[in-house]
Amino acid sequence: MNTRITELLGIEYPIIQGGMAWVAEYHLASAVSEAGGLGLIGGANAPGEVVRDYIRKTKERTDKPFGVNVMLMSPHADDVAKVVVEEGVKVVTTGAGNPGKYMDMWKAAGIKVIPVVASVALARMVGKAGADAGGAEGTESGGHIGEATTMTLVPQVVDAVNIPVIAAGGIADGRGLAAAFMLGAEAVQVGTRFVVAKESIVHENYKQRIIKAKDIDSVVTGRSHGHPVRCLRNQMTREYTQLEQEGKSFEELEYLTLGALRNAVVDGDVAHGTVMAGQIAGMISKEQTCKEIIDEMMAQAEALLKGAR
Ligand code: TUI
């Protein structure tokens, strides 16, 4: 399954790990890269120096390609954008915004730039600005999301741009990978399944919450003020939804969730913390190594696509 994406990034398999806040640190990123996919360090809201340290620790663990996700709403985005250049990172993905202002700097440094977008309009814009590939992320994803589904967004983005497209949102096995290829994608981004990987450092409670999740356990908070975030239903989401319905301001609600993702990932408080996960959580049933996940996805997708040809 060699594609323009595997070629561009120098990876063995068309599987890219999501740049998930707090979750995508150097243990996970290096394990995914070692298994032949593209591991990502999630910059999230971390200061530039923390990301620099993670980049160096990833390099100690793997000689294979890896990338950094720059979360554009972060107060440290400018610093992280410079750190990736200084540290010679080869691949950058971006989320939660338009990376236009960093494109020239990154391209001049020879970085392969992959903005993750949730609309055709932004996909066109980043294509014109010189992006090397585009991530098309459906609303099935965990975390900060757009409105369109993966099934509808991916073919529309494929038609709108000339660069190769990576499908994201709702993909966690070989069936999803094969389906994404049928929609015209040339790689997939996988988040939630890697959260429960053996090498993932998230708290055991968080992993168990995903493993036990049912199809209908996924909810979206923050729609009313334009910051939709998908996570698993718990006491926090019930309180949040209640306050949202009462018309509480964004600032008041932010106070409720401040540090809430960290509380869930690091401390294992899956009742009051934010348990970000995609809608596919209901299908994920066990902890496996990154290599087992990637090998299983590839074998299943290859068998399906052989039958489809
Ligand atoms: O970025 C993501 N997923 C994320 S970022 C994140 S950290 C966070 N947590 C809470 C609130 C906000 C951020 C958790 N998950 N995925 C890529 C993605 N980008 N999905 C949607 C978008 C997006 C949305 C609006 C990209 C651009 C955009 O507008 C751009 C513009 O300026 O027109």
Side-chain angles (χ1 to χ4, degrees):
M1 289 176 72
N2 292 331
T3 67
R4 285 187 288 173
I5 297 285
T6 55
E7 192 89 349
L8 176 75
L9 305 178
I11 54 177
E12 209 172 335
Y13 305 118
I15 298 176
I16 292 155
Q17 170 226 318
M20 302 163 286
W22 286 103
V23 177
E25 48 64 84
Y26 56 92
H27 294 96
L28 185 63
S30 57
V32 172
S33 288
E34 275 296 290
L38 186 80
L40 283 185
I41 297 165
N45 278 323
E49 291 314 306
V50 172
V51 179
R52 191 191 303 281
D53 179 49
Y54 281 15
I55 293 168
R56 292 183 178 176
K57 288 186 167 130
T58 307
K59 283 180 189 163
E60 284 167 14
R61 286 168 167 77
T62 183
D63 292 327
K64 297 195 177 173
F66 68 92
V68 172
N69 175 267
V70 179
M71 209 282 277
L72 297 164
M73 274 166 44
S74 164
H76 304 292
D78 284 352
D79 288 342
V80 176
K82 282 189 214 120
V83 164
V84 295
V85 173
E86 288 161 8
E87 294 298 315
V89 169
K90 302 279 192 304
V91 185
V92 166
T93 69
T94 65
N98 183 343
K101 69 170 174 169
Y102 304 122
M103 288 297 278
D104 288 347
M105 174 174 71
W106 287 339
K107 297 300 296 174
I111 294 174
K112 307 289 183 223
V113 184
I114 310 180
V116 178
V117 304
S119 70
V120 169
L122 189 55
R124 279 213 177 90
M125 222 179 287
V126 300
K128 283 197 188 113
D132 296 279
E137 189 183 274
T139 195
E140 296 93 321
S141 294
H144 181 67
I145 49 168
E147 284 294 337
T149 61
T150 303
M151 179 78 104
T152 58
L153 182 67
V154 171
Q156 293 185 80
V157 170
V158 167
D159 286 349
V161 298
N162 292 318
I163 50 178
V165 172
I166 298 161
I171 301 164
D173 69 2
R175 293 172 297 181
L177 172 46
F181 272 53
M182 288 288 152
L183 297 175
E186 297 183 49
V188 295
Q189 179 180 284
V190 175
T192 308
R193 189 157 177 197
F194 284 126
V195 176
V196 303
K198 283 224 166 75
E199 297 91 340
S200 155
I201 49 74
V202 314
H203 196 283
E204 188 57 27
N205 294 354
Y206 201 114
K207 291 188 184 180
Q208 286 305 319
R209 183 67 190 87
I210 290 176
I211 286 168
K212 293 196 180 119
K214 293 191 290 294
D215 55 344
I216 55 168
D217 283 348
S218 180
V219 292
V220 178
T221 60
R223 270 222 166 93
S224 60
H225 23 70
H227 291 93
V229 170
R230 182 178 300 287
C231 50
L232 294 177
R233 178 200 309 280
N234 62 6
Q235 197 172 321
M236 185 283 292
T237 66
R238 276 189 287 277
E239 283 171 25
Y240 194 107
T241 308
Q242 175 75 32
L243 293 170
E244 220 177 341
Q245 278 162 2
E246 288 168 14
K248 289 277 187 299
S249 70
F250 177 60
E251 287 69 28
E252 283 172 282
L253 289 168
E254 271 303 272
Y255 183 75
L256 183 75
T257 58
L258 220 59
L261 178 63
R262 187 204 164 278
N263 293 346
V265 171
V266 181
D267 300 334
D269 185 356
V270 293
H272 308 95
T274 306
V275 186
M276 289 189 195
Q279 281 185 324
I280 203 69
M283 197 185 74
I284 294 166
S285 60
K286 58 179 184 290
E287 191 176 340
Q288 290 170 296
T289 65
C290 292
K291 183 167 167 28
E292 284 165 349
I293 293 171
I294 290 176
D295 287 351
E296 199 177 289
M297 284 186 71
M298 288 305 300
Q300 195 181 15
E302 274 169 352
L304 288 169
L305 290 170
K306 210 177 281 167
R309 268 191 217 119

